[in-house]
Amino acid sequence: MSAATPARAPSGVTWDGINWAKVQRQVRGLQTRIVKASQAGRHNKAKALQWLLTHSFSGKALAVKRVTGNQGRNTPGVDKVTWKTPEAKTNAIASLKRRGYSPLPLRRVLIPKKNGKTRPLGIPVMKCRAMQALHLLALEPIAETIADLNSYGFRPERSTADAGEQCFTSLAQKTSAEWVLEADIQGCFDKISHDWMLAHIPTDTAILKKWLKAGFVYQNELFPTEAGAPQGGIISPVLANMTLDGLEARLAVKFPKARRAGMKMNMVRYADDFIITGNSKEWLEQEVKPAVVEFLAERGLVLSPEKTRITHIGEGFDFLGWNIRKYNGKLLMKPSKANVKAHLDKIREVIKANKTAKQANLIRLLNPVLRGWANYHSHVVAKETFARIDAEVWSMLWRWAVRRHPNKGARWVKEKYLKTRGARNWVFAATEKQEDGTQRELALLQESDTPIHRHIKIRANANPHDPEWEHSFESRWATKMQNSSKGRAKFYRVWRRQDGMCSTCQEPITKDTPWGVRNIVKRAEGGSDAAGNLQMHHLNCRRNH
């Protein structure tokens, strides 16, 4: 990064005066045009539009907004600089120029992994993060257009739940494949060939090369980077995804009759973890696996020998925190034993680190952990697991409470920490006094109260940057919100504002009439998902309209 005089903000522009709806609308408009050009095979047109986006004020403003609004905004790179003031953010917009741009090396930190090893994480300086966010705005529409149909990791509007549902679809039937190739790529981010990325990633090659060759600093020593995409960069997950995209199509070309011939080949990928189903262990071992190895070798990658195996569905396998297995011909997805153990270990660490904390504060620390884990598994067979975890957590908290009062009896401890709430006894709850003098009650969340909802998988070719899919994403968002307590409260406000009437036919919306929501100002045009920008309608009215 250049050490020249700091860039000054464009004349008359202030951070607080930026019209973000207009900025979003302009960027989405360019992204839509990039998608259309890519779909039509007009690659030079797409490249020109990418150039236009990366040199636009709107693109630069949105990139700076992203890196100053995410969780890492207060974590500096090697230059120890962060952008906190409105003036610094406005000046940052003016500094995002291609000419003279030279990235600084990344600050490397090591993150511990479950197996005792460490994962290297590279932290770029703020300007490099913003440049990556800017070029990601132009690259992501193409990445989403050409991505593998059943790739779900680090992609907008896709999640592990979609990957899990696709696993269920591929394996649940009586006639489904019974053998699964569990594949894991060894050090994927660290070993991707730079030459391959520079030749095949449709982005500004000169800028990409600078990022890849920037090196990293560890313990005040500079190291070069000869391969790999740095973990920690905003654009890195998309670069890794685009490197692996094409495997699904390669297998379809190599085995064109695989499905019709009864080989039952299906692939599901989440980032660098993927499974491939087949009708026999021998076919997966002798034909499919070599094809995968060949595909990866072109990109400088290899399969991990310790994590790659072929498993029968009757034995089951772990994928993304779930155990997927058939029991007497019935496929069940449950939280895996390793995932449950990790969850309980985390809870135990929180309790152990807060031996002298107030009960209300401990509840505040535990509830997000319990709620997040339960929501993650809320679409699989998890009720028994939730109940077992509730019992384990209760035991931990009982020991925590008894330890604090070694001279008190069990009845005294119970009356102090465990309350009766409705029909439920022994609830870990506390009452605390607010600043205004009122009383507020906090109760520990029970994972077994989490409802199980079957997840509806996203359509394989849905593209969030293509306006043709706008209604589909609106419907998915509405369904997701209806299943959350916050979502129900928001929709109730919209329903009250409309006097309980459909915005199209002006007839009542009731719990017995299928309904949906739409954005008054579309998200593609800068609209938000706030209640004030939503309208409720009957589903049939929307279809007819």
Side-chain angles (χ1 to χ4, degrees):
M1 187 167 61
S2 174
T5 304
R8 301 298 297 274
S11 177
V13 174
T14 63
W15 183 258
D16 295 329
I18 295 174
N19 185 339
W20 291 108
K22 182 179 179 181
V23 163
Q24 182 75 30
R25 186 161 55 248
Q26 291 176 344
V27 170
R28 290 295 296 265
L30 284 170
Q31 289 178 321
T32 297
R33 293 173 65 189
I34 292 171
V35 168
K36 296 302 181 186
S38 182
Q39 289 172 340
R42 302 177 64 189
H43 303 299
N44 288 336
K45 176 70 171 177
K47 187 175 181 180
L49 289 168
Q50 285 181 300
W51 180 276
L52 188 61
L53 177 49
T54 55
H55 288 72
S56 68
F57 171 81
S58 294
K60 294 176 182 179
L62 209 57
V64 173
K65 185 180 183 183
R66 173 172 180 174
V67 301
T68 56
N70 59 19
Q71 290 184 345
R73 63 185 179 275
N74 295 323
T75 305
V78 293
D79 62 354
K80 300 181 180 179
V81 171
T82 57
W83 298 334
K84 295 184 178 180
T85 66
E87 183 182 7
K89 296 173 185 178
T90 311
N91 291 336
I93 297 174
S95 74
L96 301 184
K97 296 180 179 179
R98 184 178 188 273
R99 178 176 295 179
Y101 171 66
S102 180
L104 288 177
L106 288 77
R107 179 166 69 90
R108 172 158 288 193
V109 295
L110 300 178
I111 307 298
K113 296 170 68 175
K114 295 178 183 178
N115 58 7
K117 299 180 181 179
T118 58
R119 175 184 289 109
L121 184 69
I123 302 175
V125 297
M126 292 297 292
K127 182 173 179 179
C128 292
R129 290 180 225 175
M131 285 291 284
Q132 289 188 19
L134 175 60
H135 284 265
L136 179 59
L137 289 173
L139 178 61
E140 192 175 74
I142 296 179
E144 286 299 300
T145 303
I146 64 176
D148 282 349
L149 295 179
N150 290 301
S151 164
Y152 300 97
F154 304 113
R155 293 181 60 190
E157 306 294 343
R158 283 166 168 78
S159 66
T160 53
D162 293 307
E165 191 62 27
Q166 181 60 29
C167 290
F168 188 88
T169 301
S170 303
L171 294 164
Q173 302 299 320
K174 290 183 178 180
T175 56
S176 297
E178 295 188 347
W179 291 93
V180 178
L181 169 64
E182 304 172 65
D184 182 270
I185 301 171
Q186 192 174 59
C188 179
F189 274 89
D190 297 329
K191 296 183 179 180
I192 302 173
S193 166
H194 284 181
D195 291 339
W196 190 94
M197 282 194 284
L198 292 171
H200 295 90
I201 302 294
T203 190
D204 190 320
T205 307
I207 297 292
L208 177 59
K209 186 173 182 179
K210 289 180 179 180
W211 288 332
L212 296 177
K213 302 296 183 183
F216 64 91
V217 173
Y218 182 63
Q219 295 181 343
N220 296 321
E221 185 177 353
L222 177 64
F223 296 88
T225 46
E226 301 299 333
Q231 295 188 56
I234 288 175
I235 204 170
S236 297
V238 175
L239 296 179
N241 261 338
M242 296 190 78
T243 301
L244 298 175
D245 282 334
L247 176 57
E248 195 171 350
R250 174 78 68 88
L251 293 174
V253 170
K254 191 170 183 66
F255 307 104
K257 299 180 180 179
R259 294 191 180 186
R260 289 198 304 272
M263 295 173 183
K264 304 170 184 176
M265 182 180 66
N266 292 282
M267 177 178 167
V268 183
R269 178 166 69 83
Y270 190 92
D272 59 339
D273 292 333
F274 59 93
I275 66 164
I276 301 173
T277 66
N279 70 326
S280 71
K281 183 176 182 178
E282 292 72 21
W283 182 68
L284 288 173
E285 180 72 47
Q286 298 171 13
E287 298 192 44
V288 175
K289 187 176 177 181
V292 172
V293 170
E294 179 186 357
F295 175 89
L296 296 177
E298 297 169 5
R299 292 150 174 79
L301 301 171
V302 295
L303 290 175
S304 169
E306 58 189 34
K307 295 183 180 180
T308 300
R309 61 181 69 86
I310 298 174
T311 311
H312 191 269
I313 194 62
E315 299 175 9
F317 63 96
D318 289 353
F319 187 59
L320 303 176
W322 302 302
N323 179 262
I324 305 174
R325 179 181 173 187
K326 270 189 175 178
Y327 298 83
N328 297 321
K330 184 178 179 61
L331 186 76
L332 297 181
M333 292 178 60
K334 302 179 180 180
S336 68
K337 291 181 179 179
N339 196 260
V340 170
K341 181 180 182 302
H343 180 49
L344 289 172
D345 287 346
K346 185 174 183 179
I347 294 170
R348 198 172 285 110
E349 288 174 10
V350 172
I351 296 173
K352 187 176 180 181
N354 291 274
K355 292 179 179 178
T356 60
K358 291 182 179 180
Q359 185 184 13
N361 291 338
L362 180 60
I363 292 172
R364 285 195 187 92
L365 291 171
L366 289 175
N367 275 354
V369 177
L370 297 168
R371 183 181 297 109
W373 194 86
N375 286 342
Y376 182 87
H377 295 286
S378 63
H379 62 279
V380 301
V381 182
K383 274 294 184 181
E384 288 185 7
T385 305
F386 289 166
R388 189 168 73 250
I389 288 175
D390 286 342
E392 290 272 2
V393 172
W394 188 92
S395 297
M396 294 179 200
L397 292 173
W398 177 255
R399 290 193 294 271
W400 173 88
V402 169
R403 179 189 174 279
R404 292 160 68 92
H405 306 282
N407 298 324
K408 298 291 184 179
R411 182 183 295 276
W412 186 95
V413 173
K414 189 264 183 189
E415 290 178 354
K416 181 174 178 61
Y417 293 103
L418 301 165
K419 315 295 182 183
T420 298
R421 295 293 177 264
R424 181 175 286 169
N425 298 319
W426 301 82
V427 177
F428 193 77
T431 303
E432 64 176 2
K433 192 174 183 179
Q434 303 293 297
E435 292 181 359
D436 59 2
T438 59
Q439 298 285 329
R440 182 188 179 193
E441 184 176 283
L442 292 170
L444 189 75
L445 182 139
Q446 298 279 310
E447 289 191 356
S448 55
D449 290 342
T450 304
I452 302 296
H453 293 288
R454 178 74 180 270
H455 180 76
I456 300 175
K457 190 183 81 70
I458 192 171
R459 296 280 291 276
N461 55 345
N463 188 337
H465 299 292
D466 188 342
E468 292 183 8
W469 290 95
E470 182 79 22
H471 176 54
S472 174
F473 284 111
E474 278 184 358
S475 299
R476 284 180 60 79
W477 177 82
T479 301
K480 181 179 179 181
M481 291 298 287
Q482 288 177 48
N483 291 334
S484 72
S485 56
K486 290 182 180 179
R488 287 192 290 273
K490 179 185 290 189
F491 290 139
Y492 180 70
R493 292 199 301 273
V494 177
W495 183 79
R496 286 289 300 271
R497 191 185 70 226
Q498 296 179 192
D499 294 325
M501 299 296 181
C502 171
S503 61
T504 304
C505 71
Q506 299 305 311
E507 293 292 328
I509 293 177
T510 70
K511 64 180 181 180
D512 299 320
T513 55
W515 55 272
V517 296
R518 71 176 184 87
N519 296 75
I520 299 171
V521 179
K522 292 184 177 182
R523 284 186 290 176
E525 298 175 356
S528 71
D529 292 327
N533 191 47
L534 298 178
Q535 283 184 338
M536 295 178 67
H537 56 82
H538 295 126
L539 289 182
N540 286 336
C541 292
R542 175 61 183 259
R543 294 190 190 103
N544 294 336
H545 179 70

